[in-house]
Amino acid sequence: MGTKKIMVYTKLFALVFSMTSCSKEDSYDSIPTNELNLPETPYDYTSLNLPSHFTTNVPGQPLPTSINGTDNTPLDNPITNAGATLGRVLFYDKKLSANGTISCASCHKQEKGFSDDAILSIGFDGGLTGRHSMTLINARFYQRGRFFWDERASTLEEQVLMPFQDPVEMGMTLDEVVTKVQQQSYYPELFQNAFGTDEINSDRISKALAQFVRSIVSYSSKYDLGRAMVTSPGANFPNFTTEENTGKNIFFQTIPNGGGACFGCHTTEAFISANPGPQNNGLDAFSSTDLGAGNVFANPIFVGRFKTSTLRNIELTAPYMHDGRFATLEEVVEHYNSGIQAHPTLSPALTDANGNPIQLNLTETQKSALVAFLKTLTDDSLSSEVKWSNPFR
């Protein structure tokens, strides 16, 4: 594929002293400072080529296995190749922060499952974010369509503009973001390709970024290879080790049958939440400093509840939970095995018949097997695919 190089130039002011006369305009030099590499033909962001198990419900299952009905893409913002290409550039452009040091990708790193390996992310001026960076993988598959851990953004189009305006994260106003985009020589053509004219405004910035994020979908893991060989997720996968199949059985089976019922919250083949709303997974016995969705919705039932994220590429997205308290998958599994707290809004799925927090009582071998299964959800293509990588190279 050929490569079109769009050169970015800045003009440096230098007063020229010479025997010949010159105007002030003649005293500027154009010096290449960066290079934006984009393909002549845009990458394909629209053809998902989802395997059949993504779109077909397994008969007789109490919970949906397909992602049907969960896509939150609005009718007025379908993904286009040109739109997602523009979104990719905006996503990686550090010029869109107050001091030119932070981009969306600074806190959502491709090689880290579009999350951050730091417990709290570092903002433009060295400040720390209030919560751990949530993965962007499979963001398009969430029926409720709300975003952030506390679901304060009603749509992805709304969410993508908020980090720009956060005083810790990127420190800009929306008007400043629009002006900064307008000042860059490479954007008019990208907006023209995406929207038919080169007009730059916040609505178009929002839509392009949302298109790029929604294009980040995982369906090429070891799990998917095995799932394609069988008729249901409960069957043993031929490409799995004995340990991985054991872990898979624990993940899918109900608690009375010796499983962990993990599929109850991480539902469908996208391993997302098909449950309409944030949940409390018993991290704490009570909420004090971070009320989660309780700060957003005027109902005490939401206190201590947070959005359930996908498990796709979870091996790469450590640390875990909204506050990054768990450094390893082993710690996550142990929490659900023995550490669930009796919070007043604890999800009913995590309580026993008496309303107390469940105790799975898994053996060390079983816990190791569950971790082994979770690692089969790693999709290396998301970490290496050029179309989701930094174009400023």
Side-chain angles (χ1 to χ4, degrees):
M1 178 178 294
T3 302
K4 174 176 61 179
K5 296 184 177 180
I6 304 174
M7 302 303 296
V8 184
Y9 295 92
T10 59
K11 292 186 175 180
L12 302 178
F13 179 78
L15 183 60
V16 178
F17 295 94
S18 68
M19 296 298 294
T20 59
S21 63
C22 63
S23 66
K24 182 177 290 186
E25 287 75 19
D26 291 330
S27 66
Y28 286 84
D29 273 333
S30 293
I31 300 177
T33 59
N34 205 347
E35 188 176 77
L36 180 61
N37 289 308
L38 295 174
E40 291 179 358
T41 301
Y43 292 116
D44 184 3
Y45 293 96
T46 62
S47 300
L48 274 179
N49 298 317
L50 291 174
S52 61
H53 57 269
F54 257 73
T55 56
T56 305
N57 277 313
V58 176
Q61 294 293 321
L63 294 171
T65 59
S66 80
I67 50 85
N68 299 337
T70 66
D71 194 329
N72 54 61
T73 304
L75 294 176
D76 66 346
N77 194 32
I79 297 174
T80 66
N81 293 335
T85 297
L86 168 59
R88 176 190 174 201
V89 177
L90 292 164
F91 186 83
Y92 282 96
D93 198 340
K94 292 184 178 181
K95 299 180 189 68
L96 307 186
S97 61
N99 58 3
T101 62
I102 297 293
S103 70
C104 303
S106 299
C107 302
H108 298 281
K109 302 170 184 175
Q110 182 184 20
E111 70 276 12
K112 300 299 179 182
F114 289 95
S115 180
D116 196 346
D117 50 347
I119 293 177
L120 302 176
S121 299
I122 300 175
F124 77 98
D125 198 30
L128 296 177
T129 56
R131 298 188 180 112
H132 179 61
S133 176
M134 184 179 246
T135 179
L136 300 180
I137 295 172
N138 290 347
R140 71 185 292 173
F141 300 126
Y142 186 55
Q143 186 178 27
R144 186 172 165 86
R146 303 190 70 94
F147 291 87
F148 289 115
W149 284 106
D150 57 12
E151 297 199 353
R152 65 186 181 274
S154 58
T155 66
L156 182 56
E157 282 73 11
E158 178 183 335
Q159 185 274 328
V160 292
L161 294 180
M162 295 172 75
F164 292 123
Q165 304 170 80
D166 189 283
V168 172
E169 293 183 49
M170 299 176 80
M172 301 280 275
T173 67
L174 202 52
D175 287 341
E176 288 172 338
V177 173
V178 172
T179 298
K180 186 65 70 171
V181 173
Q182 291 171 338
Q183 291 172 346
Q184 311 312 313
S185 63
Y186 44 86
Y187 277 119
E189 181 180 355
L190 293 171
F191 276 82
Q192 175 76 44
N193 293 340
F195 297 108
T197 72
D198 62 3
E199 179 186 357
I200 296 172
N201 57 46
S202 61
D203 180 65
R204 288 182 168 186
I205 291 172
S206 164
K207 287 180 175 177
L209 275 167
Q211 287 183 43
F212 177 72
V213 171
R214 283 198 182 95
S215 77
I216 306 170
V217 175
S218 170
Y219 54 88
S220 300
S221 65
K222 183 177 183 179
Y223 170 87
D224 295 297
L225 294 176
R227 179 65 181 84
M229 300 177 185
V230 297
T231 58
S232 74
N236 282 341
F237 289 6
N239 67 326
F240 272 21
T241 65
T242 300
E243 182 181 44
E244 290 166 345
N245 272 317
T246 298
K248 181 173 66 63
N249 291 336
I250 293 171
F251 184 91
F252 283 102
Q253 286 175 352
T254 61
I255 295 171
N257 290 324
C262 313
F263 190 69
C265 291
H266 298 281
T267 315
T268 82
E269 298 287 1
F271 293 92
I272 57 170
S273 171
N275 201 319
Q279 297 296 309
N280 186 321
N281 63 344
L283 291 174
D284 302 296
F286 62 92
S287 298
S288 54
T289 57
D290 192 343
L291 304 184
N295 281 328
V296 177
F297 304 103
N299 189 328
I301 193 63
F302 286 102
V303 172
R305 293 188 173 222
F306 298 88
K307 182 175 179 177
T308 304
S309 64
T310 182
L311 296 183
R312 291 283 182 161
N313 272 24
I314 192 171
E315 181 182 9
L316 306 181
T317 61
Y320 304 103
M321 306 300 168
H322 69 276
D323 55 6
R325 69 175 63 189
F326 298 136
T328 66
L329 285 175
E330 286 77 8
E331 291 180 21
V332 172
V333 169
E334 189 56 55
H335 164 70
Y336 289 108
N337 184 57
S338 64
I340 297 174
Q341 301 297 301
H343 193 285
T345 67
L346 178 64
S347 174
L350 298 177
T351 60
D352 60 21
N354 298 317
N356 298 315
I358 58 171
Q359 294 280 327
L360 297 181
N361 298 315
L362 299 176
T363 66
E364 292 300 319
T365 298
Q366 289 174 316
K367 288 184 286 186
S368 295
L370 186 52
V371 170
F373 166 69
L374 291 172
K375 291 181 178 180
T376 70
L377 303 178
T378 301
D379 182 351
D380 291 325
S381 68
L382 268 70
S383 303
S384 58
E385 184 65 48
V386 176
K387 69 180 181 180
W388 292 311
S389 68
N390 187 358
F392 291 95
R393 292 178 176 174

